[in-house]
Amino acid sequence: MTVWIALLRAVNVSGVNRLPMEGFRALLDEMGLEGAKTYIQSGNAVFRSAKAAGELQALIADGVLRRFGFRPPVLMRTLGELEAAHRGCPFRAEAGEKVFFHFMDRDLPRATGDFLKTLATAEERYAFQGRMLWLHLPGGAGRSKLADRVGRLPVDMTARNLRTVEALIAIGQKLEAA
């Protein structure tokens, strides 16, 4: 069985796209996803399954639609992929809430780097490889033009900060060892 991490995009604690984690965990259990755990209120789940990523994406998105009335984009990563994204992050030594991991459904074209360079301030940094984009935003994401434009790139993605990624890895490693 593979340890999977499901990263849902555009879910909220209240208001539009409300996804209570207790109900989400119960849904995952009902779907037969083993050892399902959620982390904070932003659509993170860790579980075991023999199913493939595409099958899990559809299963979870359709289940959320049936139970909660909206169909969020779901990005899947194995524990190994999440660990590799963490190891590959060139900004791990920075403050955890200022480093962002953008998980994408496909690779960004190389030309994207030139575009991002025009938006980054002198202290902002970015790196990307494959389906991963990392940002270091010392001033935070709220007022960053770089963060704003990254969120508008024509690729399905969702972002998590370094602390969340590290917490998800710890949950996944514990589940794997069980």
Side-chain angles (χ1 to χ4, degrees):
M1 289 262 205
T2 302
V3 173
W4 287 100
I5 293 84
L7 304 165
L8 282 63
R9 180 174 182 205
V11 300
N12 296 298
V13 179
S14 61
V16 178
N17 294 347
R18 185 173 177 275
L19 184 66
M21 291 298 103
E22 186 176 325
F24 182 45
R25 240 183 342 272
L27 175 66
L28 297 172
D29 287 340
E30 291 166 19
M31 293 177 178
L33 305 176
E34 294 182 15
K37 306 268 186 252
T38 58
Y39 178 72
I40 65 174
Q41 297 289 321
S42 59
N44 305 295
V46 182
F47 55 84
R48 276 190 296 238
S49 177
K51 293 177 172 33
E55 186 178 356
L56 289 167
Q57 284 173 304
L59 182 70
I60 293 168
D62 291 344
V64 170
L65 176 62
R66 281 191 305 280
R67 174 85 46 97
F68 300 101
F70 68 99
R71 191 175 197 279
V74 178
L75 289 115
M76 300 300 306
R77 295 296 190 268
T78 65
L79 175 59
E81 289 171 326
L82 200 67
E83 290 168 329
H86 183 263
R87 280 190 310 275
C89 177
F91 314 121
R92 284 193 325 257
E94 307 300 336
E97 69 277 357
K98 305 292 184 179
V99 176
F100 298 88
F101 288 60
H102 288 73
F103 299 91
M104 303 176 292
D105 69 344
R106 60 186 165 86
D107 294 4
L108 287 177
R110 279 280 138 212
T112 303
D114 295 333
F115 171 68
L116 295 177
K117 188 181 288 185
T118 67
L119 300 170
T121 64
E123 63 274 352
E124 293 177 333
R125 298 180 291 160
Y126 66 91
F128 62 97
Q129 180 179 7
R131 298 181 303 156
M132 283 303 309
L133 168 67
W134 300 276
L135 300 180
H136 175 234
L137 306 171
R143 287 183 249 178
S144 168
K145 280 200 253 183
L146 175 61
D148 179 60
R149 290 307 299 238
V150 162
R152 295 190 220 180
L153 289 172
V155 59
D156 204 5
M157 76 171 85
T158 190
R160 301 296 186 270
N161 70 31
L162 175 61
R163 289 185 183 165
T164 296
V165 169
E166 289 174 342
L168 292 171
I169 288 171
I171 294 166
Q173 289 172 340
K174 187 175 180 181
L175 185 59
E176 187 173 59

